Amino acid sequence: MRGPAAAVPWGQVARFTMVGGVNTATFYACYLPLHRLLPYFAAYTAGFVLSLVGSFFLNTYFTYRTRPTWKKFLLFPLTQVTNYAVQSAGLVTLVSWLGMNSVAAPLVAALLALPVTFVVSRRILRPPRRPDGASDQPESPPVRSGRPA
């Protein structure tokens, strides 16, 4: 019998964390040049949207190995709303209630938000199995043999 830790898809968690790092780097790589051309908030928004689109496709194909759909694409920003809400609450709690240094607290809050954001994104990008046990999508793309069918 497998324990509760076996239920955690650690490979997906690791890939999700890597995608988060790539997403952060993508955002910053977009933000910096745009900041020279646009007011900072416009550059921030454009960088955020561009990195969000990239994050969607990376998480769809790489993290969860599922097919992208318009429905998932339109629901995906909810992961960022969730991430922002959890990180913000964590930041206020860490700084105002627990007295943590405000320079380090955002990093800790981001780490604390990781499990919640993972669960929300997984729920959106990999819907639960149907009652008959079938999945709407395969865990990984089908492997082609290279010979005609």
Side-chain angles (χ1 to χ4, degrees):
M1 178 184 226
R2 299 174 86 175
V8 176
W10 290 111
Q12 286 180 358
V13 171
R15 291 189 302 267
F16 181 79
T17 303
M18 286 187 278
V19 167
V22 169
N23 188 47
T24 300
T26 302
F27 161 76
Y28 208 58
C30 293
Y31 173 76
L32 288 177
L34 289 171
H35 188 318
R36 294 180 181 166
L37 304 171
L38 303 170
Y40 77 92
F41 195 75
Y44 171 83
T45 302
F48 181 85
V49 169
L50 290 170
S51 67
L52 181 73
V53 171
S55 179
F56 170 74
F57 286 107
L58 284 171
N59 275 303
T60 301
Y61 287 118
F62 178 66
T63 303
Y64 302 111
R65 297 183 172 139
T66 184
R67 287 180 233 123
T69 65
W70 281 107
K71 179 181 178 183
K72 291 175 190 175
F73 183 75
L74 295 173
L75 289 173
F76 189 70
L78 292 176
T79 65
Q80 297 304 308
V81 170
T82 302
N83 189 26
Y84 181 79
V86 173
Q87 282 192 44
S88 297
L91 181 64
V92 170
T93 301
L94 291 168
V95 174
S96 297
W97 294 1
L98 301 177
M100 183 178 272
N101 180 300
S102 62
V103 173
L107 299 174
V108 175
L111 288 173
L112 293 174
L114 189 64
V116 175
T117 307
F118 173 78
V119 168
V120 172
S121 70
R122 188 170 201 273
R123 181 70 183 215
I124 289 170
L125 297 178
R126 282 212 54 84
R129 294 191 180 274
R130 296 189 306 237
D132 62 4
S135 175
D136 289 337
Q137 299 165 355
E139 173 61 26
S140 58
V143 177
R144 298 182 187 252
S145 66
R147 55 184 182 165

